[in-house]
Amino acid sequence: MCWRTAFRWPPPITWGTKADLDDRRRLYRVEQSHIRDYPDGEREELRQILQELGLSGGVLEGAVKAVAAKPEKWISLMLASEYGLGPAEPNPVAAALTTFLAFMLAGIVPLLPFILGLPDPFLLASAATGLVFFAIGASKSIWSLSPWWISGLETLLIGSCAAALAYGAGSLFRG
């Protein structure tokens, strides 16, 4: 096993989408230069990666030769196995638009009782916001390992704490 796959550098952390894209492109250039400057060492790393996937003998050697003949595929495989990067590049514009729309949709909920002039708007806004937090958490369970109700309660708890802190901070500035 090569040192990069053994120690996973850089460590898997989440940054902003633009930073992820920049880092991916930097790593791409690093692998590109490794293949250009150290083709035998990189071919050996490729061989080790394919061995870990269960290939051996002639099939392994054929796969190494086939992948090494296509630098784009070779680099993509190295990025996935050495750095844990998926095949798709992140899209900063799509991420920004999605975040903006989600913020607007979820952010309007606590304002609606006040805008619509409903009775006891603070209680309604609090309840509606709690439901939104729970729904967001429950929907998150589609890709998480938690059951929907645990994921919903977790997001409700975190969101409620954040809302309480924001309310408390806002109360400090109320004249």
Side-chain angles (χ1 to χ4, degrees):
M1 179 180 292
C2 71
W3 66 271
R4 281 183 277 183
T5 54
F7 296 104
R8 286 275 190 223
W9 187 258
I13 57 175
T14 302
W15 299 327
T17 306
K18 171 77 168 69
D20 284 342
L21 184 58
D22 290 345
D23 192 48
R24 176 187 197 87
R25 289 178 178 160
R26 179 187 65 80
L27 292 171
Y28 186 94
R29 287 191 304 273
V30 166
E31 286 302 319
Q32 202 172 32
S33 71
H34 285 173
I35 288 170
R36 182 187 64 241
D37 299 338
Y38 312 104
D40 294 336
E42 288 298 300
R43 198 169 281 109
E44 181 55 33
E45 283 187 45
L46 175 59
R47 185 174 286 103
Q48 291 173 8
I49 290 166
L50 295 173
Q51 274 180 320
E52 288 177 18
L53 294 175
L55 301 181
S56 62
V59 173
L60 172 64
E61 295 310 316
V64 169
K65 186 176 180 181
V67 173
K70 298 178 181 173
E72 295 289 321
K73 298 293 183 185
W74 188 359
I75 293 170
S76 180
L77 182 63
M78 300 299 269
L79 292 176
S81 63
E82 290 185 37
Y83 304 104
L85 299 178
E89 285 190 351
N91 184 335
V93 173
L97 287 174
T98 302
T99 301
F100 175 75
L101 289 174
F103 179 78
M104 293 302 291
L105 288 173
I108 194 73
V109 170
L111 299 177
L112 284 175
F114 295 96
I115 293 170
L116 298 175
L118 299 175
D120 205 2
F122 183 78
L123 181 63
L124 286 174
S126 298
T129 301
L131 285 173
V132 168
F133 284 145
F134 185 84
I136 289 169
S139 65
K140 181 182 75 170
S141 72
I142 293 169
W143 60 86
S144 75
L145 298 176
S146 299
W148 67 270
W149 59 274
I150 289 179
S151 187
L153 288 174
E154 179 182 77
T155 303
L156 173 61
L157 177 66
I158 293 167
S160 297
C161 289
L165 285 170
Y167 182 80
S171 296
L172 293 174
F173 297 102
R174 196 173 21 184

